[in-house]
Amino acid sequence: MEEEKKITVSDEALRRAAGEGMDEFLRVFTDRYLEVTGGQVDADAMPLLNGWQHTLLGYRLFCEEVNEGGFVQLIQNGYGPYIFLNPFAKAMRLMGAKEFSKLVYEAKKIYDAHREDLEQERDEDEFMAMYERYEEFDDLEEQFMDMEEEVTGQVARYVDGHLEDFALIVKEGE
């Protein structure tokens, strides 16, 4: 993990964030990943993070996008390939989030069947109309809302138990 070791997070920041909650704990890592990648998840960013780091960043982006505007927004904002064409769902299962992994695989079936249309550039009215055209995402979004807190807990516990896969933790003065 030589290349990834360049991504460091401070022990102090982790401790402080852990006291504030699971979301804040995970955000310490993902904020750093976004800093390292310049906020991008394109081909240039791929070699900057390892697979676990990409998974964690993918989870943050998934949560933000789906909570704000559902799967349609996630895909329209360009994150469809990052989530559905990478081993994101498998990695989430390995992290212990089995039900969430199944949900992502279900969403991927819809994505795969309609990818060209889902990724097509849209104006605001066309974008809003997509919510009616892709109502099949609605149940999955609702399921995610119901499981999000539990999934975030599973992910946070996994990260806490495998810190070396996610960043090099540095203490003050190191």
Side-chain angles (χ1 to χ4, degrees):
M1 195 170 121
E2 287 69 52
E3 201 60 32
E4 296 87 13
K5 289 258 187 216
K6 293 180 182 176
I7 297 179
T8 60
V9 296
S10 94
D11 182 58
E12 181 186 336
L14 276 182
R15 288 178 194 282
R16 188 172 47 250
E20 295 172 16
M22 299 174 291
D23 292 322
E24 290 77 10
F25 172 73
L26 296 176
R27 187 170 290 279
V28 171
F29 293 95
T30 57
D31 281 352
R32 192 72 180 97
Y33 303 160
L34 288 168
E35 187 180 319
V36 167
T37 63
Q40 302 301 310
V41 291
D42 55 17
D44 292 337
M46 294 310 280
L48 301 176
L49 303 176
N50 69 30
W52 290 114
Q53 293 164 335
H54 277 294
T55 299
L56 189 55
L57 181 56
Y59 182 65
R60 175 177 171 170
L61 296 171
F62 181 96
C63 291
E64 289 176 354
E65 296 294 323
V66 172
N67 282 328
E68 187 176 309
F71 284 100
V72 167
Q73 178 176 307
L74 173 88
I75 296 164
Q76 277 286 295
N77 283 344
Y79 299 119
Y82 192 61
I83 298 298
F84 299 121
L85 303 182
N86 284 305
F88 176 74
K90 179 181 180 182
M92 294 306 295
R93 181 176 48 78
L94 294 172
M95 292 173 112
K98 291 176 179 56
E99 291 305 309
F100 175 64
S101 176
K102 290 178 190 173
L103 183 143
V104 174
Y105 280 124
E106 286 302 310
K108 183 183 183 333
K109 289 178 190 173
I110 301 166
Y111 174 77
D112 287 345
H114 305 282
R115 180 177 176 191
E116 189 175 322
D117 185 54
L118 282 163
E119 291 182 347
Q120 201 170 63
E121 193 125 344
R122 311 266 181 200
D123 66 27
E124 186 67 25
D125 291 338
E126 293 169 327
F127 172 74
M128 295 310 286
M130 290 179 73
Y131 287 102
E132 281 184 40
R133 197 162 54 250
Y134 291 103
E135 287 180 340
E136 56 210 295
F137 282 129
D138 291 354
D139 286 343
L140 296 175
E141 291 161 0
E142 207 169 294
Q143 288 173 39
F144 175 66
M145 302 297 173
D146 291 343
M147 70 171 66
E148 181 182 7
E149 188 174 334
E150 180 183 340
V151 174
T152 299
Q154 291 166 325
V155 170
R157 284 187 295 280
Y158 185 88
V159 171
D160 191 43
H162 301 85
L163 290 172
E164 68 283 354
D165 291 332
F166 296 91
L168 177 65
I169 313 304
V170 294
K171 294 181 181 359
E172 285 298 310
E174 283 188 6

